[in-house]
Amino acid sequence: MTADGRAEIDPRQFRNVLGQFCTGITVITTLDGDQAPIGFACQSFAALSLEPPLVLFCPTKASRSWAAIEKSGRFGVNVLAEEQRELCARFGSREPDKFADAAWHTSDLGLPLLDDALATIQCTVDSVVDGGDHYIVIGRVQTMSETTASGRPLLFYRGQYTAIEPEKTTPAPWRADLEHFLTTTTLDTWL
């Protein structure tokens, strides 16, 4: 127990329990003060709002990439494909030049984007909230695109990479009740 009577949370158990939640993997990018590309692998990315279009990601407070994003005020989100495990590992490392062997280009908005990403989202920093040992960065979407290839996303589950089953290459059919759930906002909406 802590001094205020709360149960202590074991960090290893915390990671194991949260590892039960499967996430996609992105690479968040920007240009640093010298206009060099910088980025990091990020699985704490999510859609936040349709109106206005907002997304969020959560960098650690000590992140060099976050410092560059904060200074530039803008960032790119690159949704990785399952074939990009090595690229993900590189962007998740402390490698000084993570873009060295990566195919990338500078977008019209001046952001470094990975050529083979399933989708890219370009944002400006809208707000930042303290989140313990991380920040919660809310980005306002400026533009986005998706690949024309029918690739599948790189996923992370129980501490390792995983993928969608090989025969499950097409998403389930869209349902009207799901559309209603995702887009309806009323006083009693819990989402």
Side-chain angles (χ1 to χ4, degrees):
M1 293 293 228
T2 62
D4 62 0
R6 291 180 290 131
E8 296 247 1
I9 301 295
D10 175 59
R12 172 53 35 211
Q13 182 186 19
F14 186 70
R15 281 180 172 251
N16 289 343
V17 169
L18 294 181
Q20 301 303 316
F21 183 67
C22 184
T23 64
I25 305 174
T26 64
V27 170
I28 309 292
T29 58
T30 198
L31 294 175
D32 68 13
D34 297 325
Q35 298 303 295
I38 190 167
F40 69 100
C42 177
Q43 68 184 95
S44 60
F45 168 78
L48 180 61
S49 169
L50 293 173
E51 189 55 46
L54 300 173
V55 297
L56 67 82
F57 73 95
C58 302
T60 179
K61 288 183 175 177
S63 167
R64 289 183 313 118
S65 297
W66 163 242
I69 292 166
E70 183 178 35
K71 187 172 183 178
S72 75
R74 57 200 172 111
F75 62 93
V77 179
N78 301 268
V79 178
L80 296 186
E82 67 182 351
E83 304 83 34
Q84 295 178 303
R85 289 180 184 196
E86 287 181 26
L87 184 67
C88 178
R90 179 178 199 81
F91 276 90
S93 74
R94 295 190 184 275
E95 179 74 33
D97 184 5
K98 297 174 185 176
F99 283 83
D101 294 324
W104 65 280
H105 64 280
T106 303
S107 74
D108 292 344
L109 297 180
L111 289 168
L113 299 177
L114 299 172
D115 289 348
D116 296 325
L118 288 179
T120 59
I121 306 162
Q122 297 180 67
C123 304
T124 53
V125 174
D126 190 74
S127 60
V128 180
V129 179
D130 188 291
D133 57 3
H134 285 66
Y135 290 114
I136 302 164
V137 179
I138 298 171
R140 185 174 294 265
V141 176
Q142 300 300 313
T143 187
M144 58 192 165
S145 65
E146 59 187 316
T147 183
T148 56
S150 60
R152 297 182 319 194
L154 180 60
L155 303 174
F156 199 70
Y157 177 64
R158 291 185 172 177
Q160 57 190 348
Y161 297 119
T162 190
I164 297 171
E165 292 180 52
E167 63 275 0
K168 303 279 186 181
T169 57
T170 16
W174 192 255
R175 297 182 356 222
D177 60 331
L178 183 58
E179 173 75 26
H180 178 74
F181 174 75
L182 293 174
T183 59
T184 302
T185 56
T186 62
L187 292 177
D188 63 345
T189 300
W190 61 272
L191 183 61

